[in-house]
Each structure stands twice: as structure tokens, then as C-alpha cells.
Amino acid sequence: MNDRGFYIPVLSALTLAAFVLLIRFFPDVANWELCEASRCTVQDWLAATAGWVGFLAAAVGAYFVYHQLAEQRRQTAFALGDGDPVFQVHVYAFDHTRAVLRFINWNRRTLAIHRIRIRCADVAIPMPIKFRWSEDQFTPGGVVNDCGINAAGWLNTVPGVEGWIDRQGRPDIFDFQLLFQEEVEDFIELIGGLSTATIAEIIVNAQYEDGTERPIDFRLRVPVIDFLPNTAARVHLHTADG
């Protein structure tokens, strides 16, 4: 329904083009007899068009049935633990210095994270060197883990997002951060003149631990100014907010 502004003029143009071509290549079309003179009655017309009307009604019904079955299959897969994990971002959720990335695993299988890549067409973003996560992020003082990231984006350790086995409880929520430098991270010179329209694409390569070793790419688009750390700006913002 959102594309009606596109489909209506296109279909109208195609209909007009088909009519022009029909007149051009079949000039005698105006003389075609649509029915025999002895059988040109309303009853005969209704009988002739009943099959086409039935076909159109069946096609419309099949369209709705197909989408209803697709939705039913999706709900059944979710109930069986075959839902898709969600990959999202929480800006400045921890220390107001960097975006926090989050996986919510709606699948019963553990999701293993193997590789991180960052793409941006407008700015040369440095590669992250560390992947940081907490073993129990909802418990104060939980253990924080760091693992290295090589130049190609592969993690030295493979962290996992636990599967949703207990269907009565919440699914596993896995928050992580990316570190770009060993010392103080401040990319104010790089992002100082950027707007929220400058987007970085974060690509996380993962796979289910189900023996298939089938890689899955999760993609997330984030404004660069919300993704790269900018210590001075964040501290100022945090202080101004009290």
C-alpha cells in the first residue's frame, strides 16, 4: 500500500502502451466480433465472464491464504525455538563514551560470534582492536572479558550468545563494546565535522553451534558520531546533563 504512488502511474503507462501497440499491429481490432449476433445477450456475457471472475476471486483468496500460512509458519518456528536473533544498538548505554551493541537470541541454539567488520563510504574508520563483553551484565561487579581482534576482523576468542532454552524465561541478552585504541580513545578530530547522516555499517559474522557451520551476517547501520568514542564531547555532555 505504501508503493501505490509508484505502481499506479507505471501500470497506467503499461496499459496505454499495450493499447497503442495493439492498435498499431492489429489495425482491424475495431472490427473484431466479440460475440455472435444471435447470442449477444446479457445472459451470454455473464456466462462467458463467470469463469474469469471465479479465477480472479480464487487468485485473491490464494494471495491472502499464502500470507496467512507464511505468518503461521513464522509463529510455529518461533514457538519451536527457531526465531531469529535481533542485533541492535544502545548509544552511550554504559559509560557515555561509545555505543553498546546488543544481541537478543530468540533461537534455542547458541550463537557464536566470529568476526567484526565496519564499513563507511565517507570516513576511514579504524579497525577495532578489542571486543569487550560481560559474563553477567545484569549483576553489579560482573566479570568483564576482553578478546583481541586481528586486522581482518576475526576475534581471538569466540564468545557465544546462549540459546533460549527456558521458554518461560527471557532470552539471553548479550551486550558488547568495541575498543579502537589501547590508550585514551578520542576521535573528536575525525568526527568533529560529521552529521548523523554519515553512517557506518557494522557487520557481525556469526553461526549457530548446531554442527552445520553455516555463517550468518548480521548488519547494523549506526551514525558514525554515535559509534566512535569521543571522550571530550561525552564528558561535556554528561556534565551538562548533571
Side-chain angles (χ1 to χ4, degrees), residues 89 91 99 101 196 198-202 220-227:
V89 62
V91 180
L101 305 173
T196 55
T198 305
I199 301 296
E201 183 180 38
I202 305 169
L220 186 66
R221 293 171 58 82
V222 183
V224 173
I225 61 175
D226 291 337
F227 179 65

Coordinates of all heavy atoms in Angstrom, one line a residue, residues 89 91 99 101 196 198-202 220-227:
V89 N 21.4 -1.6 18.7 CA 22.4 -0.7 19.3 C 21.8 0.1 20.4 O 20.6 0.5 20.3 CB 23.1 0.2 18.2 CG1 22.1 1.1 17.6 CG2 24.2 1.0 18.8
V91 N 23.0 3.5 22.3 CA 24.0 4.6 22.3 C 24.3 5.1 23.7 O 23.4 5.4 24.4 CB 23.6 5.7 21.4 CG1 24.6 6.8 21.3 CG2 23.3 5.2 20.0
A99 N 29.0 3.5 21.7 CA 27.8 2.8 21.5 C 27.9 1.3 22.1 O 29.0 0.8 22.0 CB 27.4 2.7 20.1
L101 N 26.5 -2.4 21.6 CA 25.8 -3.3 20.6 C 25.2 -4.5 21.4 O 25.8 -5.0 22.4 CB 26.8 -3.8 19.6 CG 27.5 -2.7 18.8 CD1 28.6 -3.2 17.9 CD2 26.5 -1.8 18.0
T196 N 24.7 13.3 11.6 CA 24.1 12.0 11.8 C 23.8 11.3 10.4 O 23.5 10.1 10.4 CB 22.7 12.1 12.5 OG1 21.9 13.0 11.8 CG2 23.0 12.6 14.0
T198 N 26.1 10.7 8.3 CA 27.2 9.8 7.9 C 27.1 8.5 8.7 O 27.2 8.5 9.9 CB 28.5 10.5 8.3 OG1 28.6 11.8 7.7 CG2 29.7 9.7 7.9
I199 N 26.9 7.4 7.9 CA 26.5 6.2 8.5 C 27.7 5.2 8.4 O 28.3 5.1 7.4 CB 25.3 5.6 7.8 CG1 24.1 6.6 8.0 CG2 24.9 4.2 8.4 CD1 23.6 6.8 9.4
A200 N 27.9 4.4 9.5 CA 28.8 3.3 9.4 C 28.0 2.0 9.5 O 27.0 1.9 10.2 CB 29.7 3.3 10.6
E201 N 28.4 1.0 8.7 CA 27.7 -0.3 8.7 C 28.6 -1.3 9.5 O 29.7 -1.5 9.2 CB 27.4 -0.8 7.3 CG 26.7 -2.1 7.3 CD 26.4 -2.7 5.9 OE1 27.4 -2.5 5.0 OE2 25.4 -3.2 5.6
I202 N 28.0 -1.9 10.5 CA 28.7 -2.9 11.4 C 28.2 -4.2 11.0 O 27.0 -4.5 10.9 CB 28.4 -2.6 12.9 CG1 28.7 -1.2 13.3 CG2 29.1 -3.6 13.7 CD1 28.3 -0.8 14.6
L220 N 24.1 -3.8 10.9 CA 23.5 -2.7 11.7 C 24.1 -1.4 11.2 O 25.3 -1.3 11.0 CB 23.8 -2.9 13.1 CG 23.1 -2.0 14.1 CD1 21.6 -2.1 14.1 CD2 23.7 -2.2 15.5
R221 N 23.2 -0.4 10.9 CA 23.7 0.9 10.4 C 23.6 1.9 11.6 O 22.5 2.0 12.2 CB 22.8 1.3 9.2 CG 23.1 0.4 8.0 CD 22.1 0.8 6.9 NE 22.1 2.2 6.5 CZ 23.0 2.7 5.6 NH1 23.9 1.8 5.1 NH2 23.0 3.9 5.3
V222 N 24.7 2.5 11.9 CA 24.8 3.4 13.0 C 25.5 4.7 12.6 O 26.5 4.7 11.8 CB 25.6 2.8 14.2 CG1 25.6 3.7 15.4 CG2 25.0 1.5 14.5
P223 N 25.0 5.9 13.0 CA 25.7 7.1 12.7 C 27.1 7.1 13.3 O 27.3 6.6 14.4 CB 24.9 8.2 13.4 CG 23.5 7.7 13.4 CD 23.7 6.2 13.7
V224 N 28.1 7.5 12.5 CA 29.5 7.5 12.9 C 29.7 8.2 14.2 O 30.5 7.8 15.1 CB 30.4 8.0 11.8 CG1 31.9 8.1 12.3 CG2 30.3 7.1 10.6
I225 N 29.1 9.4 14.4 CA 29.3 10.2 15.6 C 28.7 9.5 16.8 O 29.1 9.9 17.9 CB 28.6 11.6 15.4 CG1 27.1 11.5 15.2 CG2 29.3 12.3 14.3 CD1 26.4 12.8 15.2
D226 N 27.8 8.5 16.6 CA 27.3 7.8 17.8 C 28.1 6.5 18.0 O 27.9 5.9 19.1 CB 25.9 7.4 17.6 CG 24.9 8.6 17.6 OD1 25.4 9.7 18.2 OD2 23.9 8.6 17.1
F227 N 29.0 6.2 17.1 CA 29.7 4.9 17.2 C 31.1 5.0 17.7 O 31.5 4.3 18.5 CB 29.6 4.2 15.8 CG 30.3 2.9 15.8 CD1 29.8 1.8 16.6 CD2 31.5 2.7 15.1 CE1 30.5 0.6 16.6 CE2 32.1 1.5 15.0 CZ 31.6 0.4 15.8

